Amino acid sequence: KNEVEQSPQNLTAQEGEFITINCSYSVGISALHWLQQHPGGGIVSLFMLSSGKKKHGRLIATINIQEKHSSLHITASHPRDSAVYICAPFMEYGNKLVFGAGTILRVKS
Amino acid sequence: DSGVTQTPKHLITATGQRVTLRCSPRSGDLSVYWYQQSLDQGLQFLIHYYNGEERAKGNILERFSAQQFPDLHSELNLSSLELGDSALYFCASSLGLAGVGTQYFGPGTRLLVL
């Protein structure tokens, strides 16, 4: 079983839709990162959170440490949100990031 | 622009060869991380340096080595290259020691081993 499970693997949405990407992990962590990878390959860190909820613009990330689960929400999705979104918990054991397989999001206009 | 630079952007080489990838962290960042992204394995952590010292090791092959220099730039050396080493190699930097801080990723080096 993978240490990090992301769902869905692929997601196609219409512009304006509310989007949710889920991440479950099985290891002890001290924080969790959400990353965005653009079609050109560049990676941007969207959030780093260890509890509760964070919001940047149309993006919201939540985490429940006890349930070992995090979600990334995109409100009012736009074609420029099309990218791969990667969940990356920071493992306490090994002091390292582990990565989900990513969710490929395509937003159609 | 994250402020992290990586050179070269692209590298094509042959099996058995050795290459060096270079990373310059954001100004003021003391931590450098190296990651490998391949089609079959996804993103994987390789190694972490903090202020010149190795702090954590991941799935780094013995054929690979890294170091961080006094000016804080880092190099990843890949030797006896195999076809399966073809991948995107990213470095990232952060201010502090632990990985709980935001990591800023470089644009990556795309390595193709023929």
Side-chain angles (χ1 to χ4, degrees):
Chain A
K1 188 179 186 303
N2 291 335
E3 292 168 321
V4 186
E5 299 280 353
Q6 261 187 258
S7 62
Q9 286 184 313
N10 290 278
L11 183 54
T12 299
Q14 283 298 129
E15 183 173 356
E17 283 186 10
F18 181 85
I19 286 161
T20 295
I21 299 170
N22 293 302
C23 174
S24 297
Y25 52 90
S26 57
V27 295
I29 71 167
S30 45
L32 184 141
H33 299 245
W34 280 100
L35 309 174
Q36 180 192 53
Q37 187 167 26
H38 294 283
I43 295 176
V44 173
S45 178
L46 297 174
F47 293 101
M48 191 277 297
L49 63 166
S50 53
S51 65
K53 179 177 169 177
K54 283 190 176 179
K55 184 174 188 288
H56 291 155
R58 295 180 295 106
L59 301 179
I60 303 166
T62 63
I63 189 167
N64 185 318
I65 294 283
Q66 287 74 28
E67 294 189 4
K68 291 183 162 51
H69 183 269
S70 177
S71 294
L72 176 68
H73 307 284
I74 304 175
T75 62
S77 59
H78 189 275
R80 65 175 174 266
D81 297 326
S82 298
V84 179
Y85 292 84
I86 302 168
C87 166
F90 185 78
M91 286 176 59
E92 289 176 323
Y93 177 74
N95 283 317
K96 62 179 184 179
L97 282 180
V98 287
F99 298 91
T103 294
I104 303 171
L105 172 64
R106 181 179 169 218
V107 182
K108 298 196 285 189
S109 57
Chain B
D1 183 2
S2 67
V4 179
T5 60
Q6 286 187 250
T7 56
K9 285 199 171 91
H10 302 275
L11 199 45
I12 302 175
T13 188
T15 54
Q17 295 297 305
R18 173 189 166 95
V19 297
T20 297
L21 312 184
R22 184 187 166 105
C23 169
S24 293
R26 287 188 332 149
S27 177
D29 283 357
L30 298 177
S31 275
V32 170
Y33 311 81
W34 285 99
Y35 299 99
Q36 180 195 58
Q37 186 177 37
S38 61
L39 282 175
D40 55 343
Q41 302 268 12
L43 266 167
Q44 290 192 94
F45 165 71
L46 294 178
I47 198 161
H48 168 212
Y49 278 86
Y50 176 80
N51 204 21
E53 289 190 14
E54 182 186 304
R55 299 300 301 199
K57 231 172 183 174
N59 301 324
I60 188 165
L61 300 171
E62 285 191 13
R63 300 184 285 109
F64 296 1
S65 64
Q67 54 183 326
Q68 186 181 27
F69 294 87
D71 68 352
L72 301 177
H73 91 272
S74 178
E75 292 181 357
L76 179 68
N77 299 296
L78 315 176
S79 60
S80 303
L81 284 167
E82 301 175 0
L83 296 177
D85 298 327
S86 296
L88 255 177
Y89 291 86
F90 289 99
C91 80
S93 73
S94 69
L95 178 62
L97 175 64
V100 293
T102 297
Q103 294 190 19
Y104 298 88
F105 285 78
T109 293
R110 193 175 294 272
L111 173 66
L112 180 59
V113 182
L114 298 175

